[in-house]
Amino acid sequence: MTPVELSRTVLHAVRRAVDEGELSVTVPARAVVEPPGPGGWGDYATNIALQLARPAGQPPRVVAEVLRPYLAGADGVTGVEITGPGFLNIALDGAASVGLVQRILREGLRYGHSDALAGQVVRLHCPHEVRAVVVADAAARILRSQGALVRISCTARPDPEWESVFGVRVDAYGGPDAPAPLDAHGGSDAPAPVDVVTVRPVPAPTDPLPLGRDAARWALLQPAAHDRPRITVDHLVQREGNPLFRVRYAHARSRAVARNAADLGFAADPGHVPDAAHVEALLADHPRILTAAARDRAPDRLARHLVTVADAALALLPAVLPCGEEKPSAAHRARLALAEAAGTVLAGGLALLGIDAPDHL
């Protein structure tokens, strides 16, 4: 069960409680579910009871007690506990995490791609400025991953180095109404009204070309559009303080443990991994992040998500391989499968940002 599916399950529980007359509230449009914080329990937690307490005229824990049996009886839910002032903590069937890993390994780099924006035609228009062009290029890649047809226009032709080094592609030059073909996924005539979006992030303070493609794209894409990017050699340093290094290192480590496991004679086999709910929750949330990044034209959301996935994966990786004379077990195979799934998500996310994910660092 993905976070989106669990959010729907929570809302369904609220709706049932309202229908049964146990709560008198308007069912909200969205329920936030996320990994439980300190002192939490299970795989996910939701603050829906705190959100509904005031309109219901009841303390949050009372609302939580009302919702608890409706959640506990939902498919895929194995337990519900109430913590703190009224957080509902939810444990899911282990089969759900196995299915998640199997799906990621099956879909590979296309995990998280969808038709959520199928039929939408988006025109990204940017000024002649390197960060704007790179952000538009990455936003276009993410939009296409969600089924949208995309074209990019710029007030002037990008500098040749932007095209050759950063790999950007612009379809038209001039104003936002300049004619431009759709991308390779569509024809020359738009099948639907074109949504024109101006891409105008805070400009780069200095020329990012000396950083090279990967580090420069990360430096321009990771900050939110309203934040000033840092164009420094720190993006090239291979150490933990460099978020790009952590993401690429976590991917390379996931590939390394797979090679080492093959040398030891065992392969990945998805299964239940104790104490891995945080990693699984982040991987399950990847499709939602991609859709949100596409809708908001915000590659920075994907970049920050990859850093969080990398940090969680790096905590998992030391336990993947057997130690000393220890023989490979089902637990090692399950952890290896989860590590490979995390590496796949990192590689796919970096590809959408236009950044290489090397197997060796």
Side-chain angles (χ1 to χ4, degrees), residues 25 27 29 52 55 108 127 169 181 224 243 253 255 258 266 280 304 312 328-329:
V25 296
V27 180
L52 297 177
R169 188 193 75 184
R253 282 285 311 278
R255 298 299 181 244
F266 75 98
E280 293 166 353
R304 291 193 297 272
S329 66

Side-chain angles (χ1 to χ4, degrees), residues 38-72:
W41 176 89
D43 300 306
Y44 292 96
T46 178
N47 67 347
I48 191 69
L50 284 76
Q51 179 182 342
L52 297 177
R54 178 171 291 181
Q58 298 285 349
R61 286 192 70 91
V62 173
V63 176
E65 289 288 357
V66 170
L67 296 176
R68 180 178 179 179
Y70 294 104
L71 273 174

Side-chain angles (χ1 to χ4, degrees), residues 116-356:
L117 302 183
Q120 293 193 24
V121 182
V122 182
R123 174 71 166 269
L124 301 175
H125 183 67
C126 58
H128 184 263
E129 189 276 321
V130 62
R131 188 186 186 200
V133 174
V134 170
V135 169
D137 178 78
R141 294 167 187 254
I142 299 171
L143 279 160
R144 293 182 185 115
S145 80
Q146 302 305 298
L149 298 177
V150 189
R151 45 190 170 186
I152 301 174
S153 60
C154 186
T155 54
R157 184 182 182 91
D159 293 359
E161 294 84 358
W162 300 357
E163 296 178 328
S164 61
V165 177
F166 299 145
V168 299
R169 188 193 75 184
V170 172
D171 304 298
Y173 319 115
D177 298 326
L182 288 176
D183 58 57
H185 299 281
S188 58
D189 297 322
V194 178
D195 182 14
V196 179
V197 179
T198 299
V199 178
R200 193 184 296 274
V202 173
T206 58
D207 183 7
L209 279 168
L211 295 179
R213 174 171 175 148
D214 294 334
R217 286 186 70 104
W218 181 268
L220 298 171
L221 295 173
Q222 188 206 13
H226 59 269
D227 290 333
R228 183 183 178 90
R230 295 184 306 105
I231 310 300
T232 70
V233 294
D234 290 344
H235 295 292
L236 298 172
V237 176
Q238 296 195 24
R239 62 186 179 200
E240 290 184 1
N242 178 1
L244 174 58
F245 170 72
R246 294 207 306 277
V247 172
R248 300 174 87 190
Y249 180 62
H251 168 263
R253 282 285 311 278
S254 73
R255 298 299 181 244
V257 295
R259 294 192 298 269
N260 294 338
D263 292 340
L264 293 173
F266 75 98
D269 185 15
H272 176 62
V273 180
D275 302 322
H278 181 50
V279 181
E280 293 166 353
L282 291 171
L283 300 185
D285 205 29
H286 185 65
R288 183 190 68 82
I289 293 291
L290 287 185
T291 302
R295 292 187 191 278
D296 297 340
R297 289 70 155 141
D300 59 286
R301 295 192 63 172
L302 173 57
R304 291 193 297 272
H305 173 65
L306 295 181
V307 174
T308 307
V309 172
D311 290 343
L314 287 170
L316 165 76
L317 288 167
V320 170
L321 299 176
C323 295
E325 299 299 319
E326 187 181 12
K327 300 296 183 183
S329 66
H332 292 110
R333 294 181 176 88
R335 285 194 290 267
L336 176 60
L338 183 57
E340 290 186 357
T344 298
V345 166
L346 294 173
L350 286 172
L352 289 176
L353 296 178
I355 297 173
D356 185 38

